[in-house]
Amino acid sequence: MDIALIGIGKIAIDQHVPAIAASPDFSLAATVSRHGRVEGVESFTEIAELLAARDDIRVVSLCLPPVPRFEAAAKAIRAGRHVMLEKPPGATLAECHALIKLAKEHKVCLFATWHSREADKVALAKAWLADKRLTSLQVTWKEDVRRWHPGQDWIWEPGGMGVFDPGINALSIVTEILPDDIHLTEATLDVPANRQTPIGAELSFYHPQGARVGAIFDWRQEGEQIWTIEAVTDQGTLTLLDGGARIQIDGVEDAVKDENPLAGEYPRLYARMARLLSTGGIDMDLRPMIHVCDALALGRRNSVAPFIE
């Protein structure tokens, strides 16, 4: 199937373009971007131009920042195109629900992707936790914003989510691997004096079985980057490391190792999109987005030092 990629920035070039190139299901037929291009691929500057000129392209993958994403997705759906959304699926929950309603009306597929759920050991973690009683779960997600988001000022503006841009990856894993749903009870947000979105956050959650569940997100991390989820249960301790690429049970590393365990995330997303197209329907799990919105609503804000890139 021909597919169009909307928004040619860092994530598109680093992940989506190689994943599509390796896909047995899709061929990159066009792009839409005001600045970015993919060599050898037809390009447009506005999505309306693509939709008018290439009626043969029935699937679009949106890699735009969250704020402009809704308008582009709505145009594509109204034009009868199937839509794949980079995370987060929108800037607000209302937008996400509006897209679901629109997709149902136009009978097209809609897929909110959570790439971290496709990390190598996430499925194994989910299976291991399925029959165990959780005592506590702690997320530690610390990285250097200068390394991973250079020059991306949109993340500091309203709707950009700040540290929740990576933090929502952790929340997408947590909501995938836990047998029980959780919800936020309190949050503390560190917001730079010169920015609109947080650079750090600490979250606490309610768990229906009484387990202690918390998360720490920080974008000021220097040196080692940390993406860890530790789950203590009545039958041992599970630790996901490196964003789900590695797993330990009671400190023992899983013996089966992938040469490049994170490389499969986006290829697996495109394979899932292909399956969704074959069966029809909508795949829009909004639980990670709900946690972020709750944190922004309930969070106590601390003003911290200005962030200067």
Side-chain angles (χ1 to χ4, degrees):
M1 292 170 279
D2 283 344
I3 190 170
L5 195 54
I6 318 299
I8 307 300
K10 180 175 173 55
I11 193 68
I13 295 299
D14 290 351
Q15 300 292 346
H16 288 264
V17 172
I20 294 170
S23 171
D25 304 299
F26 295 105
S27 175
L28 184 58
T31 64
V32 177
S33 177
R34 294 180 181 178
H35 307 291
R37 299 287 186 275
V38 176
E39 186 176 354
V41 177
E42 184 178 14
S43 62
F44 300 86
T45 57
E46 299 289 343
I47 189 169
E49 297 174 357
L50 165 77
L51 297 173
R54 295 296 305 269
D55 186 60
D56 57 309
I57 299 176
R58 309 308 302 168
V59 186
V60 300
S61 180
L62 292 180
C63 302
L64 297 168
V67 171
R69 194 172 296 163
F70 172 78
E71 183 179 356
K75 287 180 179 177
I77 292 171
R78 290 192 183 102
R81 314 304 168 92
H82 306 286
V83 174
M84 182 174 175
L85 299 166
E86 176 61 79
K87 63 87 186 174
T92 70
L93 283 170
E95 288 182 353
C96 297
H97 286 293
L99 290 178
I100 293 171
K101 181 180 179 181
L102 202 59
K104 289 179 179 177
E105 291 173 355
H106 290 269
K107 296 180 173 57
V108 298
C109 295
L110 181 64
F111 180 27
T113 70
W114 301 105
H115 68 83
S116 289
R117 287 182 174 177
E118 303 299 335
D120 194 50
K121 303 303 181 182
V122 170
L124 180 59
K126 180 178 181 177
W128 191 85
L129 288 169
D131 61 350
K132 297 171 179 65
R133 183 177 62 82
L134 187 71
T135 303
S136 67
L137 182 141
Q138 180 63 40
V139 176
T140 306
W141 225 253
K142 297 182 177 182
E143 61 181 60
D144 184 352
V145 64
R146 293 180 175 89
R147 183 189 303 188
W148 302 103
H149 292 273
Q152 296 180 29
D153 289 338
W154 60 267
I155 57 176
W156 299 111
E157 296 299 322
M161 295 191 179
V163 75
F164 289 109
D165 181 82
I168 205 169
N169 294 335
L171 296 173
S172 74
I173 295 175
V174 170
T175 51
E176 176 69 9
I177 65 176
L178 286 186
D180 300 300
D181 283 335
I182 58 175
H183 67 259
L184 190 89
T185 55
E186 60 181 332
T188 301
L189 311 178
D190 291 341
V191 183
N194 62 337
R195 303 291 179 171
Q196 297 293 314
T197 56
I199 197 169
E202 187 167 353
L203 314 180
S204 296
F205 295 88
Y206 168 84
H207 185 275
Q209 307 304 322
R212 299 185 308 276
V213 179
I216 296 175
F217 304 146
D218 202 319
W219 247 352
R220 296 160 290 194
Q221 180 76 1
E222 297 180 2
E224 181 187 4
Q225 307 291 279
I226 302 171
W227 302 287
T228 301
I229 299 173
E230 182 182 77
V232 181
T233 78
D234 61 339
Q235 299 179 48
T237 298
L238 175 148
T239 307
L240 280 173
L241 302 159
D242 297 343
R246 297 164 50 211
I247 191 171
Q248 294 177 353
I249 306 296
D250 292 331
V252 179
E253 187 101 9
D254 179 57
V256 179
K257 293 185 178 180
D258 193 315
E259 287 294 325
N260 190 1
L262 294 180
E265 291 184 7
Y266 281 85
R268 282 192 277 268
L269 287 178
Y270 278 94
R272 287 187 63 179
M273 183 63 180
R275 291 195 296 271
L276 187 64
L277 290 168
S278 68
T279 59
I282 294 170
D283 185 347
M284 285 279 282
D285 182 1
L286 298 180
R287 289 177 297 167
M289 184 82 172
I290 289 171
H291 294 322
V292 172
C293 290
D294 285 354
L296 295 174
L298 289 177
R300 182 181 299 276
R301 284 157 173 78
N302 295 327
S303 182
V304 298
F307 173 79
I308 308 296
E309 187 168 356

Short mmCIF file of all heavy atoms in Angstrom, two decimals, residues 175-210:
data_model
loop_
_atom_site.label_atom_id
_atom_site.label_comp_id
_atom_site.label_asym_id
_atom_site.label_seq_id
_atom_site.Cartn_x
_atom_site.Cartn_y
_atom_site.Cartn_z
N THR A 175 0.55 1.39 31.38
CA THR A 175 -0.85 1.05 31.11
C THR A 175 -0.99 -0.23 30.30
O THR A 175 -2.03 -0.88 30.33
CB THR A 175 -1.55 2.20 30.37
OG1 THR A 175 -0.77 2.60 29.23
CG2 THR A 175 -1.73 3.41 31.28
N GLU A 176 0.07 -0.60 29.59
CA GLU A 176 0.04 -1.84 28.82
C GLU A 176 0.33 -3.06 29.69
O GLU A 176 -0.31 -4.11 29.54
CB GLU A 176 1.07 -1.77 27.68
CG GLU A 176 1.21 -3.04 26.85
CD GLU A 176 0.01 -3.35 25.97
OE1 GLU A 176 -0.89 -2.50 25.86
OE2 GLU A 176 -0.02 -4.45 25.40
N ILE A 177 1.27 -2.95 30.62
CA ILE A 177 1.72 -4.14 31.34
C ILE A 177 0.93 -4.41 32.62
O ILE A 177 0.92 -5.55 33.09
CB ILE A 177 3.23 -4.05 31.68
CG1 ILE A 177 3.53 -2.93 32.67
CG2 ILE A 177 4.05 -3.93 30.39
CD1 ILE A 177 4.99 -2.86 33.11
N LEU A 178 0.27 -3.41 33.21
CA LEU A 178 -0.47 -3.64 34.44
C LEU A 178 -1.83 -4.27 34.17
O LEU A 178 -2.57 -3.79 33.31
CB LEU A 178 -0.66 -2.33 35.20
CG LEU A 178 0.56 -1.74 35.92
CD1 LEU A 178 0.15 -0.53 36.75
CD2 LEU A 178 1.24 -2.78 36.81
N PRO A 179 -2.19 -5.31 34.91
CA PRO A 179 -3.51 -5.91 34.72
C PRO A 179 -4.65 -5.00 35.15
O PRO A 179 -5.77 -5.12 34.65
CB PRO A 179 -3.45 -7.17 35.61
CG PRO A 179 -2.01 -7.41 35.89
CD PRO A 179 -1.36 -6.06 35.87
N ASP A 180 -4.37 -4.08 36.10
CA ASP A 180 -5.40 -3.19 36.63
C ASP A 180 -5.15 -1.75 36.16
O ASP A 180 -4.02 -1.30 36.05
CB ASP A 180 -5.38 -3.20 38.17
CG ASP A 180 -5.64 -4.59 38.73
OD1 ASP A 180 -6.72 -5.13 38.46
OD2 ASP A 180 -4.76 -5.12 39.45
N ASP A 181 -6.25 -1.04 35.93
CA ASP A 181 -6.15 0.38 35.59
C ASP A 181 -5.82 1.20 36.84
O ASP A 181 -6.28 0.89 37.95
CB ASP A 181 -7.46 0.88 34.99
CG ASP A 181 -7.63 0.45 33.54
OD1 ASP A 181 -6.61 0.19 32.87
OD2 ASP A 181 -8.78 0.37 33.08
N ILE A 182 -5.05 2.23 36.65
CA ILE A 182 -4.68 3.15 37.72
C ILE A 182 -5.15 4.56 37.34
O ILE A 182 -5.49 4.80 36.19
CB ILE A 182 -3.16 3.16 37.97
CG1 ILE A 182 -2.40 3.55 36.68
CG2 ILE A 182 -2.70 1.78 38.46
CD1 ILE A 182 -0.90 3.69 36.85
N HIS A 183 -5.18 5.45 38.33
CA HIS A 183 -5.42 6.85 37.99
C HIS A 183 -4.61 7.75 38.91
O HIS A 183 -4.25 7.38 40.03
CB HIS A 183 -6.92 7.20 38.03
CG HIS A 183 -7.54 7.15 39.39
ND1 HIS A 183 -8.29 6.09 39.82
CD2 HIS A 183 -7.54 8.04 40.42
CE1 HIS A 183 -8.73 6.31 41.04
NE2 HIS A 183 -8.27 7.50 41.44
N LEU A 184 -4.33 8.94 38.41
CA LEU A 184 -3.48 9.89 39.12
C LEU A 184 -4.18 10.44 40.35
O LEU A 184 -5.38 10.74 40.32
CB LEU A 184 -3.11 11.05 38.18
CG LEU A 184 -2.03 11.98 38.73
CD1 LEU A 184 -0.67 11.47 38.33
CD2 LEU A 184 -2.23 13.41 38.24
N THR A 185 -3.40 10.60 41.45
CA THR A 185 -3.94 11.22 42.65
C THR A 185 -3.28 12.56 42.96
O THR A 185 -3.93 13.46 43.49
CB THR A 185 -3.78 10.30 43.87
OG1 THR A 185 -2.39 9.93 44.01
CG2 THR A 185 -4.61 9.03 43.69
N GLU A 186 -2.01 12.70 42.63
CA GLU A 186 -1.34 13.98 42.83
C GLU A 186 -0.09 14.06 41.96
O GLU A 186 0.44 13.04 41.51
CB GLU A 186 -0.97 14.20 44.30
CG GLU A 186 -0.06 13.16 44.88
CD GLU A 186 0.24 13.42 46.36
OE1 GLU A 186 0.20 14.60 46.77
OE2 GLU A 186 0.51 12.46 47.09
N ALA A 187 0.36 15.30 41.75
CA ALA A 187 1.54 15.52 40.92
C ALA A 187 2.22 16.82 41.31
O ALA A 187 1.57 17.76 41.77
CB ALA A 187 1.16 15.56 39.44
N THR A 188 3.53 16.84 41.15
CA THR A 188 4.32 18.06 41.30
C THR A 188 5.06 18.29 40.00
O THR A 188 5.71 17.38 39.47
CB THR A 188 5.32 17.92 42.46
OG1 THR A 188 4.63 17.64 43.67
CG2 THR A 188 6.12 19.20 42.63
N LEU A 189 4.95 19.50 39.47
CA LEU A 189 5.54 19.84 38.18
C LEU A 189 6.57 20.94 38.35
O LEU A 189 6.27 21.99 38.93
CB LEU A 189 4.44 20.29 37.20
CG LEU A 189 3.20 19.41 37.09
CD1 LEU A 189 2.21 20.04 36.12
CD2 LEU A 189 3.57 18.00 36.65
N ASP A 190 7.77 20.71 37.84
CA ASP A 190 8.82 21.73 37.81
C ASP A 190 8.77 22.45 36.48
O ASP A 190 9.03 21.83 35.42
CB ASP A 190 10.19 21.11 38.01
CG ASP A 190 10.39 20.56 39.42
OD1 ASP A 190 9.64 20.98 40.33
OD2 ASP A 190 11.30 19.72 39.61
N VAL A 191 8.44 23.74 36.49
CA VAL A 191 8.28 24.50 35.26
C VAL A 191 9.34 25.61 35.21
O VAL A 191 9.38 26.46 36.10
CB VAL A 191 6.88 25.13 35.17
CG1 VAL A 191 6.71 25.87 33.84
CG2 VAL A 191 5.80 24.06 35.32
N PRO A 192 10.21 25.60 34.20
CA PRO A 192 11.20 26.67 34.09
C PRO A 192 10.53 28.04 34.03
O PRO A 192 9.46 28.19 33.43
CB PRO A 192 11.93 26.35 32.77
CG PRO A 192 11.73 24.87 32.60
CD PRO A 192 10.36 24.58 33.14
N ALA A 193 11.17 29.03 34.64
CA ALA A 193 10.58 30.36 34.73
C ALA A 193 10.31 30.99 33.37
O ALA A 193 9.46 31.86 33.25
CB ALA A 193 11.50 31.26 35.56
N ASN A 194 11.04 30.54 32.34
CA ASN A 194 10.89 31.12 31.01
C ASN A 194 10.14 30.21 30.04
O ASN A 194 10.16 30.42 28.83
CB ASN A 194 12.26 31.47 30.42
CG ASN A 194 13.14 30.23 30.24
OD1 ASN A 194 12.95 29.22 30.91
ND2 ASN A 194 14.11 30.33 29.35
N ARG A 195 9.48 29.16 30.57
CA ARG A 195 8.80 28.20 29.69
C ARG A 195 7.37 27.97 30.17
O ARG A 195 6.99 28.32 31.28
CB ARG A 195 9.56 26.87 29.67
CG ARG A 195 11.02 27.00 29.23
CD ARG A 195 11.17 27.35 27.77
NE ARG A 195 12.58 27.49 27.38
CZ ARG A 195 13.00 27.62 26.14
NH1 ARG A 195 12.12 27.63 25.14
NH2 ARG A 195 14.28 27.73 25.88
N GLN A 196 6.58 27.31 29.30
CA GLN A 196 5.17 27.05 29.60
C GLN A 196 4.89 25.63 30.04
O GLN A 196 3.82 25.35 30.59
CB GLN A 196 4.32 27.37 28.35
CG GLN A 196 4.36 28.83 27.91
CD GLN A 196 3.70 29.73 28.91
OE1 GLN A 196 2.60 29.44 29.40
NE2 GLN A 196 4.36 30.83 29.25
N THR A 197 5.82 24.71 29.79
CA THR A 197 5.59 23.30 30.10
C THR A 197 6.68 22.79 31.03
O THR A 197 7.78 23.36 31.11
CB THR A 197 5.56 22.46 28.81
OG1 THR A 197 6.77 22.67 28.07
CG2 THR A 197 4.38 22.85 27.93
N PRO A 198 6.41 21.71 31.77
CA PRO A 198 7.35 21.24 32.80
C PRO A 198 8.61 20.60 32.25
O PRO A 198 8.59 19.95 31.21
CB PRO A 198 6.52 20.25 33.61
CG PRO A 198 5.42 19.82 32.71
CD PRO A 198 5.13 20.97 31.80
N ILE A 199 9.67 20.76 33.02
CA ILE A 199 10.94 20.11 32.72
C ILE A 199 11.15 18.90 33.63
O ILE A 199 12.01 18.06 33.39
CB ILE A 199 12.12 21.09 32.85
CG1 ILE A 199 13.38 20.57 32.15
CG2 ILE A 199 12.40 21.45 34.32
CD1 ILE A 199 14.48 21.61 32.01
N GLY A 200 10.34 18.81 34.67
CA GLY A 200 10.39 17.69 35.59
C GLY A 200 9.02 17.45 36.19
O GLY A 200 8.19 18.37 36.25
N ALA A 201 8.75 16.22 36.62
CA ALA A 201 7.45 15.90 37.21
C ALA A 201 7.58 14.69 38.13
O ALA A 201 8.38 13.78 37.88
CB ALA A 201 6.42 15.61 36.12
N GLU A 202 6.79 14.71 39.21
CA GLU A 202 6.69 13.56 40.11
C GLU A 202 5.21 13.24 40.29
O GLU A 202 4.42 14.12 40.64
CB GLU A 202 7.34 13.86 41.46
CG GLU A 202 7.41 12.66 42.37
CD GLU A 202 8.32 12.86 43.57
OE1 GLU A 202 9.00 13.90 43.62
OE2 GLU A 202 8.34 11.97 44.45
N LEU A 203 4.84 11.98 40.04
CA LEU A 203 3.44 11.58 40.00
C LEU A 203 3.17 10.46 41.00
O LEU A 203 4.03 9.60 41.23
CB LEU A 203 3.06 11.08 38.61
CG LEU A 203 3.49 11.90 37.39
CD1 LEU A 203 3.01 11.22 36.11
CD2 LEU A 203 2.96 13.31 37.46
N SER A 204 1.96 10.47 41.56
CA SER A 204 1.48 9.37 42.40
C SER A 204 0.13 8.91 41.88
O SER A 204 -0.69 9.73 41.44
CB SER A 204 1.34 9.82 43.86
OG SER A 204 2.59 10.18 44.41
N PHE A 205 -0.10 7.59 41.96
CA PHE A 205 -1.31 7.00 41.37
C PHE A 205 -2.07 6.14 42.39
O PHE A 205 -1.47 5.57 43.31
CB PHE A 205 -0.94 6.10 40.19
CG PHE A 205 -0.34 6.82 39.03
CD1 PHE A 205 1.04 7.03 38.96
CD2 PHE A 205 -1.14 7.28 37.99
CE1 PHE A 205 1.60 7.69 37.89
CE2 PHE A 205 -0.58 7.94 36.91
CZ PHE A 205 0.80 8.15 36.85
N TYR A 206 -3.36 6.05 42.19
CA TYR A 206 -4.21 5.11 42.91
C TYR A 206 -4.19 3.78 42.18
O TYR A 206 -4.35 3.73 40.96
CB TYR A 206 -5.65 5.63 42.97
CG TYR A 206 -6.65 4.59 43.44
CD1 TYR A 206 -6.87 4.36 44.79
CD2 TYR A 206 -7.37 3.83 42.51
CE1 TYR A 206 -7.78 3.40 45.21
CE2 TYR A 206 -8.29 2.87 42.92
CZ TYR A 206 -8.49 2.66 44.27
OH TYR A 206 -9.39 1.72 44.67
N HIS A 207 -3.99 2.69 42.95
CA HIS A 207 -4.05 1.34 42.40
C HIS A 207 -5.16 0.59 43.12
O HIS A 207 -5.23 0.61 44.36
CB HIS A 207 -2.71 0.63 42.57
CG HIS A 207 -2.65 -0.72 41.94
ND1 HIS A 207 -3.10 -1.87 42.57
CD2 HIS A 207 -2.21 -1.13 40.72
CE1 HIS A 207 -2.92 -2.91 41.79
NE2 HIS A 207 -2.39 -2.49 40.65
N PRO A 208 -6.05 -0.08 42.41
CA PRO A 208 -7.23 -0.69 43.05
C PRO A 208 -6.89 -1.75 44.08
O PRO A 208 -7.71 -2.03 44.96
CB PRO A 208 -8.01 -1.27 41.88
CG PRO A 208 -7.05 -1.38 40.76
CD PRO A 208 -6.08 -0.27 40.95
N GLN A 209 -5.71 -2.35 44.02
CA GLN A 209 -5.31 -3.37 45.00
C GLN A 209 -4.41 -2.80 46.09
O GLN A 209 -3.86 -3.55 46.89
CB GLN A 209 -4.60 -4.53 44.28
CG GLN A 209 -5.37 -5.13 43.13
CD GLN A 209 -6.74 -5.63 43.54
OE1 GLN A 209 -6.91 -6.18 44.63
NE2 GLN A 209 -7.74 -5.43 42.68
N GLY A 210 -4.24 -1.48 46.10
CA GLY A 210 -3.48 -0.84 47.16
C GLY A 210 -1.98 -0.73 46.92
O GLY A 210 -1.24 -0.30 47.81
#
